[in-house]
Amino acid sequence: MICSCIAWKVVIISCVVLQLTAVNGTLSKSDKKAKKAKQKDNSNVKSVFERGLVEAQTQSADILKEYYRYCEAERDKTVFKGKVLAYVTPWNSKGYDIAKVFSKKFDLVSPVWLQVVSRPNNEFEILGGHDIDSGWAIEVMQGRDNLMVPRVLFDKWSLKDYENLFSREEFMAKCAKVITSFIKKHNFAGITLELWNQMPTSMQMDATHFIIDLSEILHKAEKSLTLIIPPLAVQPSSRVPQFTKENFEELKSSVDYFNIMTYDYHMQSSVAGPISPIKWIEESITAICPEDHEIDRAKILLGLNFYGIRFGEFSGAQPILGHDFVDILKSNSPAVKWQPKDEEHLYLYKNSKNGENLYLFYPSLLSIKKRIDLAKRLGTGIGIWEIGQGLDYFYDLL
């Protein structure tokens, strides 16, 4: 699955680095004015399909000419009929704009706002309320009360914190009620829970118990639960979170949706390579739900990255967001090569200062379409991380 031209070791980056780097995506007032001007020009723009842009053979100049042009006539219509979850991050304000412009294409919107923290004496608190933008949420929902499902992250929990939470039924119930009360107070439709990847792998049985309890309390309040789960491990070990067929069977009647994070493949490997090889995505889904069961498969949201990764011989791995990608195309005009095995586009160029060979994987119209087609074939939905990191014309595909 790894491109043969890339064989050196890379520094593995964390999601934290990806998130911190995304701060550069904030739009200035002048950026927003320019963006609005471009939107006015979209009234007569045809879809990316009609423009013949969803192709393996493409060039940097073609992308630069078209990336900001989307079909205005189609922006309130859906091409993909499965469920679509869209993440929005407060450090990348473009995502807030995208959520408003293309709101009809999303079934669930998950702003990355909230953290649940453990306090002394088995108390729990929800942080992140200062990030909540109620006015924006109302604009995005447009009367759809079931849309907004903020991410709730178990943040900076120690082993002892988890042991305390899982030690008594009353503590788990208290935590679940704190989460539910906060969600009810802010009139959210539910939550997107990030717990499975955060906790020790030895506590999966306890976590399953807690998730079932949490779902019961949320559902009694008519709130939904989406659970973030890891993909199939490339190199299984006790340190890599696992989510198995047995875990899925235990939780499928309690959890509304499972967002499987089928990206960052390179982070599990010792060499540079694609972000989400298509075969690995399918294997990750069939590993937890091998039977083609329509109801079960519809609960799974295939993870779709809207960011890229650049690998350098000397500089290692770096996250690349949409604005970074556009700058790279303008400055370097990289060669573009389609990787048929992994179904991703690879961009090749050199560092102009030191001659370092650089290899960039960034989603393209064709790579996204291939993953949407896979979701259609498997009967799943999709979960996008995250909409502020992509290019405007991506949304013609949804």
Side-chain angles (χ1 to χ4, degrees):
M1 292 185 182
I2 306 300
C3 178
S4 60
C5 63
I6 312 171
W8 63 89
K9 302 277 183 175
V10 297
V11 177
I12 301 303
I13 61 171
S14 69
C15 291
V16 173
V17 174
L18 179 62
Q19 292 176 355
L20 291 176
T21 306
V23 173
N24 294 326
T26 303
L27 294 176
S28 67
K29 291 181 179 179
S30 60
D31 290 332
K32 289 180 179 179
K33 289 178 181 179
K35 185 173 184 294
K36 288 179 180 178
K38 287 179 181 178
Q39 286 178 359
K40 291 178 181 178
D41 295 334
N42 288 328
S43 57
N44 295 318
V45 175
K46 295 181 179 180
S47 76
V48 291
F49 298 104
E50 294 174 297
R51 283 182 276 163
L53 301 178
V54 190
E55 300 290 340
Q57 300 300 318
T58 187
Q59 297 180 4
S60 297
D62 299 329
I63 299 169
L64 289 173
K65 180 182 177 182
E66 301 287 351
Y67 76 91
Y68 61 88
R69 288 157 44 85
Y70 61 85
C71 181
E72 178 72 28
E74 299 290 327
R75 74 181 179 93
D76 289 339
K77 300 177 183 178
T78 57
V79 178
F80 178 65
K81 302 306 179 184
K83 294 290 182 182
V84 177
L85 165 66
Y87 289 96
V88 179
T89 57
W91 52 82
N92 192 355
S93 67
K94 181 179 178 180
Y96 285 83
D97 296 330
I98 292 293
K100 289 191 291 185
V101 172
F102 299 103
S103 63
K104 295 293 180 64
K105 291 182 179 287
F106 308 131
D107 300 286
L108 301 164
V109 174
S110 185
V112 179
W113 285 337
L114 308 178
Q115 309 89 44
V116 56
V117 295
S118 179
R119 297 301 191 199
N121 302 316
N122 296 300
E123 297 294 331
F124 309 97
E125 184 181 2
I126 303 295
L127 302 182
H130 63 281
D131 281 323
I132 295 174
D133 187 337
S134 299
W136 167 82
I138 290 170
E139 284 188 76
V140 174
M141 289 189 294
Q142 298 183 28
R144 294 186 293 162
D145 295 335
N146 62 343
L147 187 70
M148 204 61 58
V149 288
R151 189 190 71 171
V152 175
L153 172 69
F154 273 63
D155 193 30
K156 299 177 182 176
W157 281 53
S158 67
L159 176 61
K160 184 176 181 180
D161 290 334
Y162 285 112
E163 289 175 343
N164 288 340
L165 172 65
F166 297 144
S167 65
R168 295 177 63 174
E169 187 75 36
E170 65 184 272
F171 297 156
M172 290 190 283
K174 180 188 288 187
C175 185
K177 288 176 181 177
V178 167
I179 294 171
T180 305
S181 295
F182 189 95
I183 296 305
K184 289 173 64 178
K185 176 183 176 181
H186 292 277
N187 296 314
F188 294 133
I191 67 169
T192 302
L193 180 65
E194 186 153 10
L195 167 64
W196 203 269
N197 291 348
Q198 311 303 114
M199 64 177 189
T201 56
S202 60
M203 295 185 174
Q204 290 184 358
M205 185 177 298
D206 294 319
T208 297
H209 185 177
F210 171 72
I211 291 167
I212 292 172
D213 287 354
L214 173 60
S215 74
E216 289 177 357
I217 294 173
L218 283 168
H219 288 158
K220 283 180 182 178
E222 299 184 334
K223 306 297 181 182
S224 68
L225 173 59
T226 298
L227 180 65
I228 298 171
I229 60 174
L232 184 67
V234 178
Q235 298 173 337
S237 75
S238 59
R239 293 176 296 174
V240 178
Q242 300 291 305
F243 192 87
T244 65
K245 178 178 180 291
E246 290 70 30
N247 297 138
F248 181 77
E249 290 295 325
E250 286 179 308
L251 288 169
K252 69 181 184 181
S253 61
S254 300
V255 173
D256 297 282
Y257 299 104
F258 297 84
N259 181 201
I260 185 167
M261 300 166 66
T262 42
Y263 35 76
D264 288 344
Y265 177 88
H266 67 285
M267 292 177 66
Q268 295 192 43
S269 175
S270 60
V271 295
I275 300 173
S276 60
I278 197 83
K279 183 180 179 182
W280 174 67
I281 298 176
E282 182 168 0
E283 289 172 346
S284 294
I285 292 170
T286 56
I288 64 170
C289 188
E291 302 297 325
D292 188 11
H293 191 281
E294 182 178 356
I295 295 176
D296 290 352
R297 286 279 181 87
K299 284 178 170 279
I300 299 172
L301 307 177
L302 178 157
L304 188 59
N305 61 288
F306 271 14
Y307 63 89
I309 298 291
R310 180 177 63 195
F311 300 97
E313 291 175 298
F314 318 128
S315 56
Q318 294 179 312
I320 298 296
L321 310 187
H323 63 90
D324 302 317
F325 178 67
V326 170
D327 288 343
I328 289 168
L329 297 189
K330 289 178 178 178
S331 302
N332 301 278
S333 298
V336 187
K337 296 184 180 296
W338 176 248
Q339 306 293 294
K341 184 176 181 180
D342 301 313
E343 298 194 346
E344 295 188 27
H345 271 107
L346 171 63
Y347 301 81
L348 306 169
Y349 64 106
K350 288 181 179 290
N351 185 315
S352 59
K353 294 181 179 180
N354 62 11
E356 177 186 25
N357 288 317
L358 298 170
Y359 302 79
L360 168 61
F361 290 90
Y362 187 84
S364 64
L365 291 170
L366 183 59
S367 72
I368 294 170
K369 182 180 184 298
K370 291 289 187 180
R371 283 146 184 78
I372 292 174
D373 288 345
L374 176 62
K376 290 177 181 178
R377 178 165 64 81
L378 295 177
T380 73
I382 59 175
I384 304 169
W385 183 271
E386 52 98 353
I387 57 175
Q389 298 175 347
L391 303 177
D392 290 359
Y393 69 175
F394 286 174
Y395 301 95
D396 280 5
L397 300 170
L398 299 178

